[in-house]
Amino acid sequence: MTKVTDSPDAWVAAHIRRFEETAGQPRPGISDLLLTTRGRKSGLYRRTALAYVRDGETGGAAYVLTASHAGADRHPAWYLNLAADPAVTLQVGAETFPATARRATPAEADRLWPVVVAAMPSYAAYRAATAREIPLVLVTRTG
């Protein structure tokens, strides 16, 4: 089995523990998942917890992730990792499966931002807080 390291961010690590303790429901009313990427520099597998929405245009097949980094002026490490290696692992609820990630096209992002903000209104404030274009990522199951 591949060793996976959880996020060094204390809040995210606590969120991962709550995710595991609650069978994938750490925040009632919010869809959360665990994303594992391979470190672009270290090669280590890293896990983080993220909110997601489903892309209705793909029949709900894609999980939409927001690389907001809480409005910081730089991309989160998980986004940089999957940009370097799009093969990822998702855990949704109690199910874990391989997936492939890609950045949403500009047209997809235009269509999906209102859906993302409706699910997590804080993303609107994160967009306003930075000059950086916050990427949306589509992740689809491969296995």
Side-chain angles (χ1 to χ4, degrees), residues 52-89:
Y52 72 90
V53 297
R54 299 300 291 268
D55 179 12
E57 297 267 324
T58 62
Y63 296 84
V64 181
L65 308 179
T66 307
S68 69
H69 207 195
D73 288 331
R74 65 190 193 311
H75 295 310
W78 65 262
Y79 174 75
L80 298 172
N81 289 343
L82 67 78
D85 182 356
V88 300
T89 301

Side-chain angles (χ1 to χ4, degrees), residues 33 85 115:
L33 57 72
D85 182 356
V115 177

Side-chain angles (χ1 to χ4, degrees), residues 4-9 11-13 15-16 27 32-42 44-53 63-72 74-90 100-104 113 116 123 126 132-140:
V4 176
T5 303
D6 286 343
S7 171
D9 182 295
W11 184 90
V12 177
H15 190 87
I16 291 169
R27 299 184 290 176
D32 287 299
L33 57 72
L34 299 182
L35 170 73
T36 302
T37 60
R38 186 173 184 161
R40 68 197 178 286
K41 296 177 185 174
S42 68
L44 299 174
Y45 289 91
R46 311 240 181 227
R47 183 167 68 163
T48 193
L50 299 165
Y52 72 90
V53 297
Y63 296 84
V64 181
L65 308 179
T66 307
S68 69
H69 207 195
R74 65 190 193 311
H75 295 310
W78 65 262
Y79 174 75
L80 298 172
N81 289 343
L82 67 78
D85 182 356
V88 300
T89 301
L90 290 186
T100 300
R102 68 171 178 84
R103 186 173 180 157
W113 264 107
V116 167
Y123 286 135
Y126 296 161
R132 170 178 71 90
E133 180 182 343
I134 295 176
L136 294 182
V137 176
L138 301 178
V139 185
T140 53

